[in-house]
Amino acid sequence: MKTPIHILGIETSCDETAAAVVRRNADGSGKILSSIVFSQLEEHAAFGGVVPEIAARAHVEKLDGLIEEALHGSQMRLSQMDAIAATSGPGLIGGLIVGLMTGKALATATGKPLYAINHLEGHALTARLTDDVAFPYLLLLVSGGHTQMVLVRGVNDYQRWGTTIDDALGEAFDKTAKLLGLTYPGGPAVEIAARDGDPRRFNLPRPLRGEKRLDFSFSGLKTAVRQTAQAIAPLDDRDVCDICASFQLAITNTLKERVGRSLQRFNAEEGAPAPKLVVAGGVAANQQIRSALVELCGEHNFELVAPPMELCTDNAVMIAWAGAERMAIDLPPDGLDVAPRPRWPLDSSSASIIGHGKRGAKA
């Protein structure tokens, strides 16, 4: 295998259009040579969520220019890439088609191999680029479309231990914010409002607390927020802040209890000398949640690893890196007949559960 490996990555699974160039060295270390992300936040804000048709149109309009910008920023030519990596799922079908078809076109034009990447694998492997994390480790993925606990044993070797049985955590934040009249995206808005609220005013439920299975559930908590708001309507600013603070405390307590069970299982079954919990996804930016995870890891002798925020949300660096990791161990590239997969679990042996997909396109 030629070393180092240079990969062009393309990400279009939801509402970010992104392109990046990454180098993987023979010793397993890597370097980000360029990373360009176009956020569609303004396009979707008026609708309070992602509109698939608008997202797909923006990908079409922006992607070619972002790829050109990423290559220019890396000071490399397309002909110098060793492969093309494009997100193939899970995600919104329109966006996936745009990115994967572009990847196929570039691979055909250059004769380079194509890697159709699972978006979740991109998240799962990012910490190996940023923090040189060794296998095995645990991944907590908390985003607008995913809430999962995954054992990462190696490249292409994943075991899903827990997933949401209904809403993803980021989705619960967004819906709570919309219910309370806060701005989109909901996560940052709820966190800001919660700073001025009383987290003990409302006793909201802690879903699945005490259950041995490692899954998550947030739909009931969201319903409790709606019922609480209706019971004291009309809401003033103090009410909104108190509900947000109570909601965020319930989320934090729930995550600590649910994730704690996975840490116990990892210690019992894997016996890694320096166990690590990797957290990824936009919700990882919430400071109260992050502080709770740091405290939890300390209690179980784990190290919490959180890649930089720009690499926790959707980006093409993680797609390029996943392609490089697969190429480095001689996993075969994909044929040009590979199809986008809006539903694509990272662990194919796990039973499909409604609710652990990506914003309407369940994995």
Side-chain angles (χ1 to χ4, degrees), residues 51-105:
V51 180
E53 293 80 2
I54 293 176
R57 189 180 308 120
H59 292 315
V60 171
E61 293 172 352
K62 296 291 184 180
L63 184 55
D64 288 353
L66 295 187
I67 291 172
E68 184 177 355
E69 189 175 349
L71 288 169
H72 179 76
S74 71
Q75 298 184 335
M76 298 188 71
R77 298 184 300 276
L78 182 60
S79 62
Q80 294 176 290
M81 297 297 105
D82 295 294
I84 311 297
T87 302
S88 184
L92 301 175
I93 185 63
L96 293 173
I97 289 173
V98 173
L100 187 57
M101 289 298 291
T102 300
K104 289 181 180 182

Side-chain angles (χ1 to χ4, degrees), residues 12-31:
T12 57
S13 65
C14 194
D15 58 338
E16 274 86 27
T17 314
V21 176
V22 168
R23 178 172 67 227
R24 187 186 188 279
N25 300 311
D27 62 0
S29 63
K31 184 175 182 179

